[in-house]
Amino acid sequence: MMWLLRRKAVFAAGIFHDFYKRRPMIALQRLLLVPLLAALSCGGALLAEAAHASPLIVVPPGNRSETQPPIPDASATRTRAFKTTYAEKYEKIVALLKREKKLVAHIKQVAAGYDIDPIHIVGALVGEHTYNVTAVGSVQTYYVKALSYSGLDFAFRYKGVPVQTFVQRPEFAACAEAKDSASLWNCRDKVWVDHFRGKTVDGVTYDAMTFQQAFFQPFFAGQTFGLGQISPLTALEVTDLVNKVSGYDRLTPDHPQAIYRDVMDPDRSIVYIAAIVRDAIDAYKEQGFDISGNPGITATLYNVGQPRQRAADLHAALAGGKGRKLPVENYYGWLVNDKLDELRSLLDSGS
């Protein structure tokens, strides 16, 4: 009987010892199993999300239309007023880029910093100086003009109200959630259109003009300045991007002279052109379109602005099965695509 009891005791002790010997391993297995199951679950969700995600639509190079879209009357009137032609203006800006080798080299350098093809910057310059202003004899002239604005005392106002004060109105409250300067000023632009443009609010009648026209042309009707013909509002939109990539101080309406310095100084102007193009490419990418390989489209957006709203509208039209499926160049972008081979050759002239 005693031997039987001892055998049972030994057996029980063995089970007890084996259980505690294996318990750390069991605990470890359980510890590893939990994150593994979570990872599998998360991975399944990601795969499901990827399966339902729309692929990025690559906008092919070239023009969508065989003939150039209509040129606005304002451009034609301006060209006639200076007794010139679009062809002559085009040749002038091309000639300037051929002469200014340092400028072309700067264009390449800046484009690399913003991870864009330098042809996008060339396209913006050519479009502006063909249809809006006529290129001057040399880049040095733009430096002189920049200095002429640096000492002026002016502010961005509409009907005596500074823009800094105006955007504190409750209608702009949602814009405070904007993540960057581009989103912030685009939001404010949209609020102006939705709540003020052409309306009477609190007894004040607001003209049927753009936010840019109302607040950001303190001198005369012309809204753009410098080599890149950049408006103060557009410079404010990309100031966060320029600060991040190029290290320039952020612009604010509180210091309008700094804004004019940046858009009128040729070297800085090229930086802002690159940022505007980069911002447009990113805005369209967020909506599922890759426009980085079509300089005519980026030139069009440089001309008309509001890339986020236009990209969102295109995405909505595509999702709803209505309208066009790709962005389309306007007269300005059409010229860039049409002259692309010649414009690319200009990039070979930079040192």
Side-chain angles (χ1 to χ4, degrees):
M1 178 64 70
M2 291 298 295
W3 68 268
L4 181 60
L5 291 173
R6 283 196 299 269
R7 184 174 180 181
K8 287 181 177 179
V10 170
F11 179 72
I15 293 175
F16 185 81
H17 174 74
D18 187 56
F19 171 77
Y20 278 95
K21 182 179 179 182
R22 288 184 296 139
R23 189 167 66 171
M25 183 60 68
I26 293 171
L28 179 61
Q29 289 173 343
R30 288 178 178 174
L31 187 64
L32 293 174
L33 184 60
V34 172
L36 177 61
L37 290 173
L40 288 172
S41 175
C42 182
L46 290 174
L47 288 173
E49 183 179 345
H52 290 89
S54 300
L56 195 65
I57 298 173
V58 178
V59 179
N63 287 317
R64 306 281 75 83
S65 57
E66 293 184 2
T67 57
Q68 186 177 29
I71 301 172
D73 291 339
S75 178
T77 300
R78 188 183 304 112
T79 301
R80 286 194 301 269
F82 286 93
K83 297 180 180 180
T84 184
T85 65
Y86 296 130
E88 289 176 349
K89 292 168 74 176
Y90 172 82
E91 291 301 330
K92 280 189 176 182
I93 182 60
V94 168
L96 183 143
L97 290 169
K98 284 181 178 178
R99 288 194 307 271
E100 301 284 349
K101 297 185 184 300
K102 288 184 179 180
L103 175 63
V104 173
H106 184 51
I107 288 172
K108 292 179 184 178
Q109 180 185 20
V110 171
Y114 285 83
D115 193 25
I116 61 173
D117 188 329
I119 192 63
H120 293 292
I121 300 177
V122 171
L125 288 171
V126 168
E128 283 298 325
H129 290 84
T130 299
Y131 295 111
N132 290 332
V133 297
T134 302
V136 298
S138 71
V139 172
Q140 186 62 32
T141 305
Y142 290 106
Y143 288 107
V144 175
K145 288 186 176 182
L147 288 173
S148 69
Y149 280 82
S150 62
L152 297 179
D153 183 18
F154 60 94
F156 297 124
R157 300 173 180 270
Y158 175 74
K159 294 192 173 183
V161 180
V163 68
Q164 306 95 301
T165 302
F166 190 78
V167 296
Q168 298 305 312
R169 293 178 61 106
E171 291 88 347
F172 294 92
C175 298
E177 300 177 5
K179 60 183 180 180
D180 54 35
S181 61
S183 300
L184 175 64
W185 287 101
N186 274 273
C187 177
R188 289 170 172 174
D189 193 359
K190 189 174 187 305
V191 169
W192 166 264
V193 172
D194 293 343
H195 296 278
F196 298 99
R197 182 177 181 177
K199 298 179 174 66
T200 298
V201 182
D202 296 334
V204 178
T205 299
Y206 295 91
D207 296 307
M209 58 174 55
T210 67
F211 188 50
Q212 177 174 275
Q213 291 170 330
F215 284 97
F216 295 99
Q217 51 179 44
F219 301 114
F220 46 83
Q223 303 167 40
T224 55
F225 300 88
L227 182 64
Q229 288 297 290
I230 300 168
S231 77
L233 178 56
T234 304
L236 285 167
E237 288 172 356
V238 297
T239 187
D240 277 358
L241 180 58
V242 170
N243 172 264
K244 178 182 178 181
V245 178
S246 300
Y248 291 3
D249 291 340
R250 286 185 173 87
L251 301 175
T252 74
D254 295 322
H255 302 287
Q257 291 82 5
I259 296 176
Y260 277 81
R261 174 203 63 200
D262 280 11
V263 300
M264 298 190 73
D265 181 307
D267 293 335
R268 288 175 175 257
S269 182
I270 295 299
V271 169
Y272 281 86
I273 295 173
I276 293 166
V277 170
R278 178 74 262 169
D279 182 60
I281 291 173
D282 291 343
Y284 270 74
K285 188 174 183 179
E286 289 174 4
Q287 296 295 336
F289 301 92
D290 181 2
I291 62 173
S292 62
N294 192 312
I297 296 299
T298 57
T300 295
L301 292 167
Y302 189 85
N303 176 231
V304 299
Q306 299 179 317
R308 278 166 180 73
Q309 185 61 50
R310 295 177 192 279
D313 290 345
L314 180 59
H315 176 82
L318 181 62
K322 300 177 181 179
R324 52 192 170 85
K325 297 182 178 180
L326 292 172
V328 177
E329 68 287 335
N330 68 352
Y331 69 99
Y332 182 117
W334 191 94
L335 174 77
V336 172
N337 277 340
D338 189 56
K339 301 286 189 180
L340 198 56
D341 289 342
E342 181 178 4
L343 299 184
R344 281 200 178 280
S345 71
L346 297 173
L347 293 169
D348 299 331
S349 65
S351 57

